[in-house]
Amino acid sequence: MSAIRIILFGTMALMLMLRPVSAGVAVHFADLQQYNSSDFGSATPQATLSELAGHLQKLGARLLKPNQTLRIDILRVDLAGMIEPFGTQQIRVMRDSTPPRIRLRYTLSQGRRVLQRDEETISDINYLMNSSRASSGGRLYYEKEMLTDWFRRRFAAS
């Protein structure tokens, strides 16, 4: 009976060693002082940035190849629209002149080999033109859709 256990244990250990390492995204943010605090409204910058990081990590799990890692340094975030007073409250008003914009630097690696590295500003100047986007009411919807489009263009075919 113990020989069977040893064989099973050895087989399981070998399977764990041979399985591909999952893809991963590590997101880092510049000093919070660099962000426009009025851009976040009543939400804390940390909560907003954490939500964007979580979205990028989900994209990585879904779209990156096994053994690939992506490091993203988010340097600046300008959310879609502008916070404006509305009576005693504040609301985010969306206009053509206030598209979402995120400045970032990234490095895509596979093992120790760098596949892609760049710094760019992602923006969607037509964010109000897409009717499916406009009909969604989710938090940070425009920013998440913009990041999803960018992620697919940059990394899904890598």
Side-chain angles (χ1 to χ4, degrees), residues 7-130:
I7 293 171
L8 285 174
F9 178 75
T11 303
M12 288 173 41
L14 183 61
M15 287 172 52
L16 288 173
M17 288 188 315
L18 294 177
R19 76 178 184 172
V21 176
S22 62
V25 175
V27 181
H28 303 274
F29 296 96
D31 182 17
L32 289 178
Q33 306 294 348
Q34 294 185 27
Y35 298 114
N36 181 359
S37 61
S38 66
D39 204 25
F40 297 102
S42 61
T44 64
Q46 293 89 343
T48 300
L49 298 176
S50 177
E51 191 169 341
L52 292 174
H55 182 70
L56 287 164
Q57 289 164 342
K58 287 177 190 173
L59 289 170
R62 205 171 70 228
L63 298 173
L64 291 178
K65 290 181 179 179
N67 298 324
Q68 288 185 338
T69 56
L70 178 63
R71 177 187 167 98
I72 300 175
D73 296 310
I74 297 184
L75 307 173
R76 182 167 174 80
V77 175
D78 291 313
L79 300 178
M82 292 190 69
I83 300 291
E84 296 186 7
F86 185 73
T88 59
Q89 300 179 355
Q90 293 183 333
I91 61 170
R92 183 171 301 279
V93 178
M94 305 297 175
R95 293 189 178 93
D96 290 337
S97 61
T98 57
R101 187 174 292 119
I102 298 176
R103 178 119 186 110
L104 53 77
R105 180 182 314 120
Y106 66 87
T107 303
L108 177 66
S109 304
Q110 188 156 349
R112 294 179 183 214
R113 190 173 66 137
V114 173
L115 303 175
Q116 293 181 40
R117 177 180 284 153
D118 205 354
E119 184 173 316
E120 61 185 286
T121 299
I122 306 165
S123 185
D124 183 3
I125 59 172
N126 295 317
Y127 78 108
L128 292 174
M129 302 301 267
N130 187 331

